[in-house]
Amino acid sequence: QQQQQQQQEGNACGEGDDTNTNSNSTRGGDGLVEWVLVEMQGIVKARDGLCLDGMPFADIKIEGKEATMLVGQHLMTGRVEDLPKPFVVMQKQSHSERRPEDEQNMVSYGVNAVIRRKIHFKTEPKPLVRNITL
């Protein structure tokens, strides 16, 4: 029912707003927003089948080159690595001043962010078990 409501509101995966604002982004020395790529094995799914697009799904803690990620009741450990070549995150820019009689279609892209590092989680998640008193 919630999934149907999300789809009706235009918030389903792949629909709606294309901009992804991340409050944890930092700016590099060149003034660009800097993101970090997360590499891991497997698939991240929500239990109730809702879309996770743009929603936080884990807590990540970085200490030096070591990283830990808590996803629900599972813990993963990994390493922060520099990418050999940086990636840029780009978005197609709209041109409202374009006229149909223009011979060439002008297309431009704006740089939203740069990715210079990744966190590589090589191992499977370890389940966290808590003592439960009945």
Side-chain angles (χ1 to χ4, degrees), residues 25-78:
S25 298
T26 59
R27 293 204 179 268
D30 51 12
L32 290 173
V33 173
E34 192 166 326
W35 289 357
V36 177
L37 179 73
V38 175
E39 182 179 341
M40 61 184 185
Q41 302 296 318
I43 298 171
V44 177
K45 288 185 184 178
R47 279 189 232 168
D48 51 10
L50 291 177
C51 178
L52 292 173
D53 189 21
M55 295 178 59
F57 69 91
D59 291 319
I60 298 177
K61 183 178 182 180
I62 300 172
E63 293 181 352
K65 291 286 185 181
E66 301 295 319
T68 56
M69 179 167 64
L70 181 62
V71 182
Q73 299 297 317
H74 295 86
L75 183 68
M76 298 176 72
T77 57

Side-chain angles (χ1 to χ4, degrees), residues 20-132:
N20 185 358
T21 56
N22 184 345
S23 61
N24 293 326
S25 298
T26 59
R27 293 204 179 268
D30 51 12
L32 290 173
V33 173
E34 192 166 326
W35 289 357
V36 177
L37 179 73
V38 175
E39 182 179 341
M40 61 184 185
Q41 302 296 318
I43 298 171
V44 177
K45 288 185 184 178
R47 279 189 232 168
D48 51 10
L50 291 177
C51 178
L52 292 173
D53 189 21
M55 295 178 59
F57 69 91
D59 291 319
I60 298 177
K61 183 178 182 180
I62 300 172
E63 293 181 352
K65 291 286 185 181
E66 301 295 319
T68 56
M69 179 167 64
L70 181 62
V71 182
Q73 299 297 317
H74 295 86
L75 183 68
M76 298 176 72
T77 57
R79 290 199 48 84
V80 178
E81 302 172 3
D82 291 328
L83 294 173
K85 292 185 179 182
F87 291 110
V88 292
V89 180
M90 302 176 76
Q91 186 172 20
K92 191 174 184 177
Q93 304 293 316
S94 63
H95 296 284
S96 58
E97 69 276 355
R98 187 185 307 167
R99 295 182 298 269
E101 62 270 8
D102 289 345
E103 291 180 17
Q104 295 180 351
N105 288 333
M106 300 296 289
V107 177
S108 67
Y109 294 87
V111 176
N112 289 2
V114 63
I115 302 171
R116 293 186 178 97
R117 299 179 301 156
K118 72 175 179 179
I119 305 172
H120 190 190
F121 296 99
K122 292 181 183 180
T123 60
E124 292 185 13
K126 296 177 181 113
L128 297 176
V129 180
R130 296 183 180 167
N131 293 334
I132 300 173

